[in-house]
Amino acid sequence: MNKAVAEKKSFAGVITNAPYFLWAAIFIVVPLFVVVYYAFTDDTGAFTWGNITDLGDYADTFLISVLYSVIATVITLVIAYPFAYFLSKCKASSQKIQMMLVMLPMWMSLLIRTYSLTQLIESNGIINSIITSWGLEPLEMINTPGAVIMGMVYNYLPYMILPIYTAISKIHPSLLEAAEDLGCNGFNKIRRLVMPMSMPGVVSGIIMVFVPSVSTFYISQKLGGTIRLVGDVIETQMKNSKYHIGASMSLVLMVFILISLAIMNKFSDDDGGMIV
């Protein structure tokens, strides 16, 4: 009887999960198979390593993309962590308002947000108009590495704030009170309790910012001028029907991202709940 009930539940679970498996197969497994196929074949469909070995010509592009993404992620973390910490200490009503303001820009398309940023920092934009009205020389902000990094920080900052805020807000007040009873001051409470216990949120935020930053292309096109990141090169290859090179670059980038995720998840598993 128990075996029949278990089999019935198992069958019901398969039926219930079938749409998710179908969705994953169509929009994840099949596209990955297509990418792998084009990455390891030539125009005749024959197997080749040439597409991968040719990527040495784009080593500088990969390095620049990773460098900009790391810098943007670090800046985003430095801005987001204290904001998330102080946000978690506000009244509930104030937290709701501030969280709404954090999430409000995400209701708009990344294209619109990035284009709006160009209106602020371009040569005759709003910021330079104000500066020149004071009799100062205009700043060269657009079409620079700093503009690209600024665009990444501006667009992905909420992705860092939200997981860190969630992790910090889950720390029970009694733990902080116990730390005070044991002689911890405000700084030590943050260093020895809040920061270690919020590490899973930090890791999640780093992943959510680094991954889209390293693969972005529109931000660099609008704000970087001639600066080309990996995403830009992949887009160009696909537009020019050079699917094999574009697929090989996508595959290498995906493998790099997966390795980065594995390292960050290992770090989170080992240290996420440790109090030092």
Side-chain angles (χ1 to χ4, degrees):
M1 181 66 180
N2 292 334
K3 183 178 180 180
V5 173
E7 290 178 352
K8 185 176 181 180
K9 289 183 177 180
S10 177
F11 178 75
V14 172
I15 296 299
T16 303
N17 294 325
Y20 302 101
F21 291 129
L22 181 62
W23 178 277
I26 295 176
F27 295 103
I28 298 178
V29 177
V30 173
L32 287 177
F33 175 79
V34 173
V35 170
V36 172
Y37 170 78
Y38 277 103
F40 291 103
T41 57
D42 56 19
D43 292 334
T44 64
F47 176 83
T48 179
W49 288 100
N51 299 325
I52 302 297
T53 57
D54 289 344
L55 295 184
D57 298 336
Y58 302 96
D60 292 342
T61 303
F62 277 98
L63 291 175
I64 292 174
S65 299
V66 173
L67 177 62
Y68 286 9
S69 301
V70 170
I71 294 174
T73 303
V74 172
I75 295 175
T76 304
L77 177 60
V78 171
I79 296 173
Y81 197 95
F83 179 85
Y85 175 78
F86 289 111
L87 177 60
S88 67
K89 302 303 177 184
C90 296
K91 296 180 180 180
S93 57
S94 177
Q95 289 184 26
K96 292 179 181 179
I97 295 175
Q98 294 185 60
M99 287 300 297
M100 182 188 68
L101 294 177
V102 169
M103 297 176 64
L104 188 61
M106 308 309 296
W107 296 355
M108 295 183 294
S109 168
L110 180 142
L111 278 66
I112 298 176
R113 296 198 305 269
T114 304
Y115 183 77
S116 300
L117 184 59
T118 63
Q119 304 303 307
L120 291 175
I121 66 175
E122 63 182 358
S123 300
N124 57 346
I126 297 175
I127 294 178
N128 275 330
S129 297
I130 296 174
I131 292 175
T132 53
S133 67
W134 293 343
L136 302 175
E137 292 293 326
L139 300 176
E140 294 294 334
M141 295 179 287
I142 198 72
N143 299 334
T144 62
V148 175
I149 295 172
M150 182 190 301
M152 294 178 179
V153 173
Y154 169 70
N155 278 290
Y156 303 127
L157 181 61
Y159 296 133
M160 183 72 76
I161 293 175
L162 294 177
I164 295 177
Y165 164 76
T166 301
I168 294 177
S169 62
K170 289 182 178 179
I171 301 175
H172 200 277
S174 62
L175 294 176
L176 300 175
E177 294 173 1
E180 292 177 355
D181 294 338
L182 294 174
C184 282
N185 55 27
F187 175 76
N188 283 329
K189 283 194 299 183
I190 295 175
R191 182 177 66 88
R192 305 188 66 177
L193 181 65
V194 176
M195 292 184 67
M197 296 191 69
S198 63
M199 193 56 63
V202 172
V203 173
S204 297
I206 291 174
I207 292 172
M208 295 174 67
V209 172
F210 177 77
V211 171
S213 296
V214 77
S215 58
T216 188
F217 60 93
Y218 184 78
I219 293 176
S220 53
Q221 290 176 4
K222 294 300 294 184
L223 303 177
T226 58
I227 297 175
R228 290 169 58 82
L229 303 183
V230 174
D232 301 313
V233 178
I234 293 175
E235 183 195 25
T236 301
Q237 298 293 341
M238 293 301 183
K239 284 184 176 179
N240 294 334
S241 300
K242 297 181 180 179
Y243 303 120
H244 303 283
I245 296 296
S248 61
M249 295 188 70
S250 300
L251 181 62
V252 171
L253 181 61
M254 180 176 60
V255 171
F256 173 78
I257 291 174
L258 290 176
I259 294 174
S260 301
L261 294 180
I263 294 173
M264 293 304 299
N265 285 331
K266 181 66 165 56
F267 176 76
S268 178
D269 292 341
D270 290 345
D271 299 332
M274 186 180 296
I275 302 176
V276 294

